[in-house]
Amino acid sequence: MAYNLIDERWIPVERRSGKVEMIAPAQVVERDDPPLRISSPRPDFDGALLEFLIGLLQTAAAPVTEREWERWFEVPPTVELLKKRLDTVREAFFLDGDGPRFMQDLTVGLDPKASHEPIGALLIDRIGESGLDESPTLFAKPGRFEALGYPAAAAALMTLQTYAPAGGRGQLTSLRGGGPLTTLITAEGLWSTAWLNILPGAKFEGEGLVPGDASKKGPGAIFPWMAPTRTSETKGGKATPPTEVHPLQHLWGLPRRIRLDVSEGRVGTCAATGAEGVAIVESYLGRPDGTSYDGDYRHPWSPYTLIEPNKPWNSKKGSSEGLPYRDWPLLVVGSTTQRPAAVVTNFASTRRRELVQQARLVAFGYAMKNMKPLRWCRAETPVITVAKGMEDPFAEAAEGLVAASDEVRKTLSSQVRAAWSDRPGDLDVFGQVNPAFWSATESAFFVAVQAVKTGLEAGSTPQQDAAKEAWLDALHLAALGLFDRFVEASADLAAPDLRRAVVARRALEQFTRPWSSRLRKLLALPVDEAVKPEKATKTRTKKKESTP
């Protein structure tokens, strides 16, 4: 019997009771012991399955207006009603069978040039399996996934097609490029989280918010696997601009030509979930040169930056440093050259921000170095928004807070380096300075952002300035404390090292002091009126210098 992702219980969730089990998509609205979150064995599966669920709701159950959205948010539909909506796209979600298959190329199985690949090569951190033996990394470890059960195979397909990195000749990146960052609004419960990221259909398809041609009605306009792939082969192939697809194809891109080999219908153990006695897939057929998404695509779940005028916007990618708060203005606030994800902007500009007081932003995605994954990034931050009309000054203030912290971070790093410059064997410590700085100052940053917002909405410049002054104090103390941890706390410092450490600390203290004109200008604070507690500072410095 055919395996359909609308009908089957295949999405792993954790319920309010703590129970972890598989549900069908429509069960997301269950009210008796409701699902709280996706709970798969892999963080990248968690992200991709959340995107699957939101994409399915956006495609088959999106409200027409914001008021309709509010009605379902306040009183969710029944499982039966939601299932009826999802059934309208059921034909696009078969995982096996002879016809179109979910996230799989329609014709590659008939191509004599198609290659047989082990199923583990679908996993982004496997680097095609064979490369692991040659150059394993901390994140991508040797080992093989011999078989995947159907639920894991479906999750792996969604993950690869959604986040596809560069993969060699003809192995194309995802619609958002390799290793895109996803940012979504979260709340308590899986239904609330998913529904908070649904845009009214009229806004998604008719207002240009998501590029594309909503008049496209062909079988592959929304789900590209429903028709022969628009390939990008050197001869006869071509790129696919947004004008050639329905806006909803942003959610269902198909850059890789893959078809699962399920002809044998084998039963075994899933290497990803450990499930035994289940239908498994051990290999797939593949061909290069899938759909090349080229042009000004703007996925509604990713933030974008404009690097050059009159050029397409670029989606934010994962970073080897993770997701420090320095990215927060891009993810939430935006500017003339930065756009938060459309779902984040929509939340900030509608009544949703009033309906959900404790909403947070979750950001996740792979950090890639060409074909190799460096890490899976995930972070949650507050969603702090301002009253309409105050967006620009709020964005400017938030960017100033980040700019000041970045100056302090760079100075801290350089002074730690100066203090340790004759100890090359310990230079690996510098990879710890930046993450430690972001972590140590993160809570103070969001306190400052909230305080600036409050002062801005109250029309109080002194209140905003007080928040910025407190931020400078927090940066100053954090920088000196981290310097001590990374340098002076070492018990084996020789005399020359100690002298170097004292000089470096003095330089750090002078640059990061709260009355530094350079830092104050970044925050638009008055420079001449800065209070200089010189006596207290000299006392602290002398104390540090006298420490053996």
Side-chain angles (χ1 to χ4, degrees):
M1 186 174 178
Y3 194 95
N4 190 281
L5 300 179
I6 302 298
D7 304 332
E8 301 289 340
R9 295 172 179 250
W10 68 282
I11 301 176
V13 300
E14 180 183 346
R15 294 185 180 274
R16 180 173 291 168
S17 64
K19 184 178 181 180
V20 176
E21 63 180 7
M22 299 287 197
I23 65 168
Q27 291 179 270
V28 69
V29 293
E30 286 182 333
R31 302 177 193 180
D32 183 17
D33 199 10
L36 295 185
R37 62 187 64 85
I38 303 291
S39 185
S40 81
R42 294 172 55 94
D44 56 347
F45 282 11
D46 285 351
L49 289 173
L50 180 57
E51 293 199 36
F52 171 88
L53 189 57
I54 298 170
L56 186 58
L57 293 171
Q58 183 69 64
T59 304
V64 176
T65 65
E66 189 68 18
R67 182 63 193 122
E68 288 184 23
W69 179 91
E70 289 184 18
R71 282 198 288 268
W72 269 21
F73 185 76
E74 294 166 352
V75 182
T78 63
V79 173
E80 294 73 21
L81 175 56
L82 183 56
K83 177 63 162 61
K84 183 180 291 187
R85 292 284 186 90
L86 302 186
D87 278 344
T88 61
V89 296
R90 184 176 179 276
E91 291 302 310
F93 288 88
F94 285 100
L95 188 66
D96 56 8
D98 296 330
R101 297 182 189 172
F102 170 72
M103 286 290 180
Q104 299 171 64
D105 186 280
L106 183 62
T107 62
V108 74
L110 304 175
D111 192 329
K113 296 182 180 179
S115 61
H116 283 266
E117 304 291 343
I119 194 64
L122 285 183
L123 306 178
I124 291 176
D125 62 327
R126 309 319 296 169
I127 321 177
E129 295 285 77
S130 61
L132 288 170
D133 296 331
E134 301 167 7
S135 55
T137 67
L138 180 64
F139 184 78
K141 301 177 180 64
R144 292 185 180 276
F145 280 64
E146 301 289 353
L148 295 178
Y150 277 20
L157 282 170
M158 183 70 188
T159 303
L160 179 59
Q161 300 286 22
T162 302
Y163 309 133
R169 182 197 167 279
Q171 300 299 325
L172 304 179
T173 61
S174 77
L175 181 145
R176 292 175 275 179
L181 189 70
T182 296
T183 55
L184 299 169
I185 303 296
T186 66
E188 183 180 1
L190 186 55
W191 164 254
S192 294
T193 291
W195 198 242
L196 275 170
N197 294 284
I198 301 301
L199 299 172
K203 181 175 290 189
F204 193 105
E205 300 177 20
E207 297 183 8
L209 190 64
V210 182
D213 184 352
S215 69
K216 296 284 185 183
K217 302 298 182 183
I222 295 175
F223 305 112
W225 58 87
M226 298 296 289
T229 300
R230 182 186 172 106
T231 66
S232 56
E233 294 172 309
T234 303
K235 295 183 179 180
K238 52 187 173 181
T240 299
T243 53
E244 294 297 325
V245 303
H246 191 284
L248 284 166
Q249 193 170 142
H250 278 74
L251 314 182
W252 307 108
L254 195 74
R256 300 290 182 91
R257 300 187 67 192
I258 293 167
R259 195 166 180 89
L260 299 181
D261 183 1
V262 295
S263 58
E264 298 181 13
R266 300 196 59 182
V267 173
T269 300
C270 175
T273 67
E276 299 177 346
V278 296
I280 57 172
V281 186
E282 296 177 304
S283 64
Y284 67 88
L285 296 172
R287 283 284 291 152
D289 303 312
T291 304
S292 176
Y293 294 99
D294 185 33
D296 198 15
Y297 283 92
R298 293 194 298 279
H299 196 289
W301 306 336
S302 282
Y304 283 78
T305 57
L306 184 63
I307 298 177
E308 295 183 49
N310 303 317
K311 295 287 186 180
W313 290 70
N314 292 270
S315 64
K316 170 70 175 172
K317 305 300 191 298
S319 167
S320 60
E321 288 188 0
L323 296 169
Y325 64 79
R326 70 176 177 192
D327 293 323
W328 190 83
L330 164 61
L331 305 187
V332 178
V333 181
S335 66
T336 55
T337 59
Q338 297 182 336
R339 288 180 179 172
V343 292
V344 177
T345 302
N346 187 70
F347 176 84
S349 61
T350 63
R351 264 180 29 92
R352 299 185 190 193
R353 62 192 286 259
E354 301 169 12
L355 294 173
V356 188
Q357 297 294 322
Q358 301 300 318
R360 292 177 65 81
L361 179 92
V362 61
F364 54 83
Y366 270 108
M368 301 295 303
K369 184 177 181 181
N370 297 321
M371 297 168 57
K372 295 183 180 181
L374 301 176
R375 64 180 295 174
W376 174 259
C377 307
R378 188 184 186 282
E380 285 193 27
T381 71
V383 181
I384 303 173
T385 60
V386 290
K388 191 173 183 179
M390 297 182 179
E391 296 89 350
D392 289 345
F394 182 57
E396 184 178 349
E399 288 173 357
L401 296 174
V402 170
S405 70
D406 208 36
E407 286 294 320
V408 172
R409 176 197 61 81
K410 288 187 288 188
T411 303
L412 169 64
S413 183
S414 66
Q415 294 307 326
V416 170
R417 184 179 296 275
W420 286 51
S421 61
D422 67 340
R423 303 177 64 184
D426 295 317
L427 287 181
D428 60 336
V429 75
F430 299 122
Q432 305 173 35
V433 174
N434 285 355
F437 176 81
W438 297 124
S439 177
T441 56
E442 182 175 284
S443 60
F445 171 76
F446 288 112
V447 169
V449 171
Q450 182 64 53
V452 167
K453 160 196 158 69
T454 302
L456 185 63
E457 292 180 332
S460 171
T461 299
Q463 196 170 350
Q464 295 176 62
D465 288 352
K468 296 173 183 178
E469 296 279 6
W471 176 231
L472 289 179
D473 285 336
L475 290 175
H476 180 63
L477 294 175
L480 294 179
L482 288 169
F483 182 93
D484 293 346
R485 180 169 61 161
F486 284 107
V487 178
E488 293 190 3
S490 178
D492 61 347
L493 283 173
D497 297 294
L498 181 57
R499 288 196 294 271
R500 184 178 292 110
V502 169
V503 172
R505 191 181 194 281
R506 183 181 296 117
L508 177 66
E509 190 278 331
Q510 290 177 345
F511 180 85
T512 64
R513 55 192 181 184
W515 56 92
S516 164
S517 60
R518 184 171 180 178
L519 296 179
R520 297 180 71 82
K521 288 177 181 177
L522 289 172
L523 293 172
L525 284 171
V527 175
D528 295 337
E529 299 175 14
V531 178
K532 301 181 180 180
E534 295 178 359
K535 184 176 181 180
T537 301
K538 288 179 179 178
T539 300
R540 287 197 299 268
T541 302
K542 288 180 178 179
K543 184 177 179 181
K544 290 294 180 182
E545 290 179 1
S546 63
T547 302

